[in-house]
Amino acid sequence: MSEESEARYRGLLEAAPDAMVVVNQAGEIVLLNVQAEKQFGYRRDELVGQPVTNIIPEGFAERLIADDLRSAADALAQQIGTGIELVARRKDGTEFPIEIMLSPLESAEGILVTAAIRDISRRKAAEEHLAQMEGRYRGLLEAAPDAMVVVNQAGDIVLLNLQAEKQFGYQRDELVGQQVTNIIPEGFAERLIADGLRSAADALAQQIGTGIELVARRKDGSQFPIEIMLSPLESADGILVTAAIRDISVRKALEAQLLQAQKMEAVGQLAAGIAHDFNNLLTAILGYGELLGRGLPESDPCRADLDEVLRAADRAAELTRQLVAFSRRQILLPRVLDPAEVVEGIVPMLRRLMGEHIALVTHTEPDLGHVKADLSQLEQVILNLAINARDAMPEGGELTIETANVELDAEYAGAHAEVSLGRYVRLSVSDTGMGMDPETQAHAFEPFFTTKEPERGTGMGLATVYGIVKQSGGSIYLYSEPGRGTAFKIYLPRVEEEVTVVAEAVTVRPATTGSETILLVEDNAAVRTFARRVLVAQGYTVVEAASGTEALALVALGIEPLDLLVTDLVMPGMQGHQLAQQLWAARPDVPVLYVSGFTKDSVISHGIAGREVAFLAKPFTADALERAVRDAIERPRGDERRGASA
C-alpha cells in the first residue's frame, strides 16, 4: 500500500476498538493497528508484508482466493457483513478463537480486505461453561415441581425447565435469550437492578429465601398470580439468578373464599344481634297493638290506623326472620328427605310463578341419595332461587332444576375452602338470564344487597338461601357470566337413612285460659310486661323475673305450685336452657316453654331444636303466647328434659 493510502486510513484503524488488519489479494498483510499488535503479540514491522496465514492459519486466506467458478471479488462479497468464527495464532504459538468481520477497501493496487478481528475467548468460555452448567443443572431443574427460570444480570432468560414451558405457554427456544419481563412484566427485573445505594448483588441478597408475590403473563396474554423464590447461581458470566415460580391461582382463590366466608360470618353475627333486639321490639309493638285492637270496636276510626301499624310490624317481623335465617340462628326441624320428591312437590307452584315465557325443566338422577334438612326451609331455598332466576329473565328463558349424587374428591375440596371430602346430593338451579359480573357475584349472598328496584326486592332472598344451606350442613356456590346466565350449586351431605314418614297431624285448638302458676323470665322489660298482661288476663298467676339468677332466687323462696317456666332462651348471664337445667334439679316435673328470636349453635347442640321441646318464636302475638302456654302445660311431663339434654 502506498504511503499516501496508509496515512489516509491509519487514523481510522487506530480509533477502532478491535484489532484491524488490511490484506491484499495475495494474502499479505499491508496495514494493521495497535490493537492487532497487542492481540497477536507482534510488532507492526514483523507483520507487514507477511502472509496472513502467520496469524490466522486456516480459513481466512481460503475465503479470499477465487476458485475456478468465481472471482476473488465474488468470494469476498459472500463474506461481507457476516461474522466469521476462526482460530488465530499469537507470536508465542498459542491459539485463541476470534470473530472476523470483512469489508472491501478500494486502492490503487486493487481491492484490499479490511478485517475487524475480535478475541472471543471469554465468550467461548462462557458458552462452554453455560453448556456445562445446563447439562449439570437440567436434571435438577426438570425434577422440580415448579417452573424454574434462570436469568442473567441483564435480565435475559438463559435456562428454563419443562414446567416453565407449560406454565407460560411458550416453547423453550421462544424464551431463551428473551427478557424476563416478557413473562413477568413488573417487579422481578426491578429486584435485580441495583439502585444508587446498593449493588446488584446486595439487591439480590435481600430477596434470597423470601417468597415474592407477583403477577406473570402467559404467551396468550392472560395473567395469573405467582410466588417466586430466588437463589443465586455462580457462572463465568457472573451471578445468575434461579427463580422457582409457582402458580398460586388456586391458593389466591381459596384465600378469597376464606375471606368471603369470614366476612359472611361477621355479617351473620351482626345480623343475629340486630334480629334479636328487633324481635324484642317487634314483640312489644305487635303485642301491645293486638291488645289495643281487642279493646277497639270495629267502627272505631282508629281501627284502620292500628291495622296499618300491625301490617307494617308483620312485614318487619318477616324481614327479621330472614335475618335470623341468614345468621344461621333459626330453629330447624330436620328430617330425612328425598330431594327429588321435594323438587317434584314444589314444581306446580313454580310453574305458576314463572309464567308462560319461562320454560321449567327438571332432571333427577336415578337412585338419588337422601339428605337431612328442614322440608319447609329446603322448599324456601328452591323458591328463592327460582324467583331470582325469573327476575333475571324478563324476556323469557329456561329455568333448570337438577338433582344428582356426587362425591367430592380432594381436588375439588382443595379448590373450595368450605367443602369437605365425602358423598353429597347436589341441587342445581340454573337459568339463561342476564348473568352477573364478578363484582355482583362477590356481594350476592350479603343481606340487603340487591340489583333490583327497591319495590321488587329487599336483598334478603339469597342471604336467606345462604343461611339455610349453611345451617343445614351444606355449601353453596355461584357460577355466572354476564349474558350467559347463572347457576347455583348446593351440596347437602348424603345420608343412608330412610325417608322420614310424617303422620298427618290433627290440629286440636286447646283452650287458652287457665288457673296455673307461671314463672315468667325475660330480660326485656317491654316484652315481659306485655307477656304478663296477656297471661294474667287469661287467668294465670304470673311470677316474673328479669334474669335466670333472679328466677332461681324466687324458686328458692318457694313458689307453690309452679306449673310452667316461660323463659327467654338468650339472656345476659345465665341462658334459658341453663336456667331450666338448674330448675329441674330441684323441681324435675316443671315443663318449660322457651321463647327467642334466635338460638345459638351451642344451644341447638343441647337439643333445643327437637320436636318435643316447646318453643315460641319472637316476635309473637298475644294469641300465639296464649296457645303456646296452654300447649306446654298440657304436654306429657319429662319431654323438655329429654330435649335439653339430648
Side-chain angles (χ1 to χ4, degrees):
M1 176 178 285
S2 67
E3 293 183 4
E4 182 181 353
S5 298
E6 182 175 344
R8 184 184 308 164
Y9 294 111
R10 180 167 297 283
L12 296 174
L13 296 182
E14 295 299 347
D18 296 321
M20 303 294 292
V21 176
V22 180
V23 180
N24 62 24
Q25 292 189 34
E28 298 170 342
I29 299 171
V30 297
L31 195 62
L32 67 152
N33 66 356
V34 69
Q35 292 296 332
E37 293 182 82
K38 293 178 180 179
Q39 189 162 285
F40 291 97
Y42 287 94
R43 296 193 313 275
R44 191 167 309 198
D45 59 3
E46 292 179 301
L47 283 180
V48 172
Q50 298 300 314
V52 71
T53 53
N54 286 2
I55 59 174
I56 307 176
E58 297 177 3
F60 182 80
E62 288 83 347
R63 293 172 189 271
L64 305 182
I65 298 173
D67 55 28
D68 293 338
L69 300 177
R70 56 180 179 171
S71 68
D74 290 337
L76 173 62
Q78 289 192 353
Q79 315 303 328
I80 299 301
T82 302
I84 308 166
E85 291 190 6
L86 298 172
V87 175
R89 180 187 296 146
R90 300 185 184 92
K91 183 178 180 179
D92 62 9
T94 58
E95 294 186 339
F96 61 100
I98 59 172
E99 184 179 65
I100 292 182
M101 187 77 73
L102 304 180
S103 61
L105 178 64
E106 292 184 3
S107 73
E109 293 82 7
I111 296 178
L112 304 178
V113 177
T114 300
I117 304 172
R118 178 170 298 173
D119 184 345
I120 58 172
S121 299
R122 291 186 61 186
R123 191 181 81 188
K124 284 295 184 180
E127 289 175 355
E128 182 179 354
H129 180 79
L130 186 60
Q132 292 174 351
M133 180 193 69
E134 183 171 346
R136 186 185 309 158
Y137 293 112
R138 179 159 301 284
L140 294 175
L141 294 182
E142 295 299 350
D146 297 319
M148 303 293 291
V149 175
V150 181
V151 180
N152 63 23
Q153 291 190 32
D156 298 325
I157 298 171
V158 297
L159 197 60
L160 67 150
N161 67 353
L162 182 61
Q163 290 299 325
E165 293 184 76
K166 293 178 179 178
Q167 190 160 283
F168 292 97
Y170 287 93
Q171 295 295 320
R172 193 163 308 196
D173 57 5
E174 293 179 299
L175 282 180
V176 172
Q178 301 300 312
Q179 283 281 296
V180 71
T181 50
N182 288 358
I183 59 174
I184 307 175
E186 298 177 4
F188 181 82
E190 289 82 346
R191 293 173 187 270
L192 304 182
I193 298 174
D195 56 29
L197 301 178
R198 57 183 179 169
S199 67
D202 291 337
L204 173 61
Q206 290 190 353
Q207 315 302 329
I208 299 302
T210 303
I212 308 165
E213 291 192 4
L214 298 172
V215 175
R217 182 167 55 208
R218 300 184 183 91
K219 184 178 180 180
D220 62 11
S222 61
Q223 295 188 335
F224 61 102
I226 58 173
E227 183 179 66
I228 291 183
M229 188 77 75
L230 304 180
S231 61
L233 181 64
E234 292 186 2
S235 75
D237 288 334
I239 295 177
L240 304 179
V241 177
T242 301
I245 305 172
R246 178 169 297 174
D247 184 343
I248 57 173
S249 301
V250 172
R251 190 180 84 189
K252 284 295 183 183
L254 284 174
E255 288 174 356
Q257 290 178 28
L258 286 172
L259 184 63
Q260 179 71 3
Q262 291 169 353
K263 180 177 73 172
M264 297 294 279
E265 181 64 26
V267 174
Q269 294 284 352
L270 175 63
I274 292 173
H276 177 262
D277 291 342
F278 263 73
N279 277 326
N280 283 332
L281 295 173
L282 289 169
T283 298
I285 293 171
L286 286 168
Y288 285 111
E290 186 181 13
L291 293 179
L292 182 60
R294 288 180 177 182
L296 287 178
E298 292 295 331
S299 59
D300 193 297
C302 294
R303 186 82 195 192
D305 294 339
L306 178 60
D307 288 343
E308 286 300 319
V309 170
L310 294 177
R311 272 193 288 271
D314 280 334
R315 289 195 295 272
E318 174 58 29
L319 186 59
T320 307
R321 280 190 287 273
Q322 291 174 327
L323 277 175
V324 170
F326 167 73
S327 64
R328 291 169 270 169
R329 299 294 189 269
Q330 63 181 333
I331 299 297
L332 297 182
L333 300 176
R335 58 187 176 92
V336 180
L337 303 171
D338 181 344
E341 292 180 358
V342 176
V343 171
E344 184 181 353
I346 202 172
V347 160
M349 179 193 298
L350 294 180
R351 293 195 186 280
R352 293 192 297 271
L353 287 172
M354 292 301 101
E356 295 182 357
H357 65 302
I358 294 176
L360 176 58
V361 180
T362 61
H363 295 291
T364 300
E365 181 176 305
D367 301 320
L368 188 68
H370 299 159
V371 300
K372 196 167 188 178
D374 185 306
L375 174 60
S376 63
Q377 296 299 320
L378 187 55
E379 290 176 336
Q380 185 68 46
V381 165
I382 299 171
L383 182 63
N384 285 10
L385 293 178
I387 291 174
N388 255 47
R390 179 198 64 189
D391 294 343
M393 299 183 287
E395 305 301 322
E398 183 174 283
L399 171 65
T400 303
I401 302 176
E402 298 177 276
T403 52
N405 295 320
V406 295
E407 187 155 352
L408 301 185
D409 56 17
E411 181 180 356
Y412 188 89
H416 296 78
E418 298 184 71
V419 167
S420 300
L421 303 180
R423 292 149 51 88
Y424 292 82
V425 172
R426 183 180 63 211
L427 171 64
S428 305
V429 179
S430 56
D431 63 63
T432 58
M434 60 187 70
M436 306 181 198
D437 59 33
E439 179 67 18
T440 301
Q441 292 180 54
H443 299 284
F445 293 116
E446 296 175 8
F448 303 114
F449 176 81
T450 180
T451 57
K452 302 175 185 177
E453 297 82 359
E455 63 273 10
R456 294 188 60 198
T458 62
M460 286 302 299
L462 291 182
T464 300
V465 167
Y466 179 87
I468 293 172
V469 171
K470 298 300 291 183
Q471 192 174 348
S472 302
S475 56
I476 180 169
Y477 293 96
L478 161 63
Y479 306 88
S480 187
E481 291 183 35
R484 301 286 298 274
T486 299
F488 290 91
K489 296 184 183 296
I490 297 168
Y491 296 90
L492 295 173
R494 209 184 318 173
V495 299
E496 301 302 326
E497 305 164 51
E498 292 299 317
V499 172
T500 304
V501 178
V502 179
E504 190 71 27
V506 179
T507 303
V508 178
R509 296 182 65 84
T512 59
T513 58
S515 58
E516 289 84 358
T517 299
I518 297 173
L519 175 57
L520 173 63
V521 187
E522 168 62 62
D523 63 295
N524 185 281
V527 175
R528 188 173 67 250
T529 301
F530 160 65
R532 178 179 56 77
R533 283 185 56 181
V534 170
L535 296 175
V536 168
Q538 293 299 105
Y540 297 103
T541 299
V542 177
V543 179
E544 58 182 295
S547 68
T549 303
E550 183 181 340
L552 290 176
L554 291 173
V555 172
L557 291 175
I559 303 176
E560 292 294 344
L562 179 53
D563 301 295
L564 178 67
L565 169 64
V566 178
T567 179
D568 190 11
L569 195 54
V570 180
M571 298 182 291
M574 186 181 296
Q575 303 288 301
H577 77 281
Q578 295 170 329
L579 168 61
Q581 294 286 1
Q582 294 197 38
L583 174 63
W584 285 328
R587 309 287 290 272
D589 295 327
V590 177
V592 176
L593 171 62
Y594 295 105
V595 180
S596 184
F598 72 95
T599 182
K600 294 182 178 177
D601 292 340
S602 60
V603 178
I604 292 176
S605 68
H606 282 79
I608 301 305
R611 280 184 176 274
E612 71 277 18
V613 175
F615 182 86
L616 177 61
K618 292 181 181 178
F620 54 81
T621 63
D623 182 68
L625 176 61
E626 292 163 0
R627 298 190 183 283
V629 164
R630 195 68 245 163
D631 180 66
I633 290 174
E634 294 181 358
R635 294 169 72 90
R637 294 292 190 267
D639 286 353
E640 298 85 352
R641 292 193 300 282
R642 288 195 298 274
S645 60

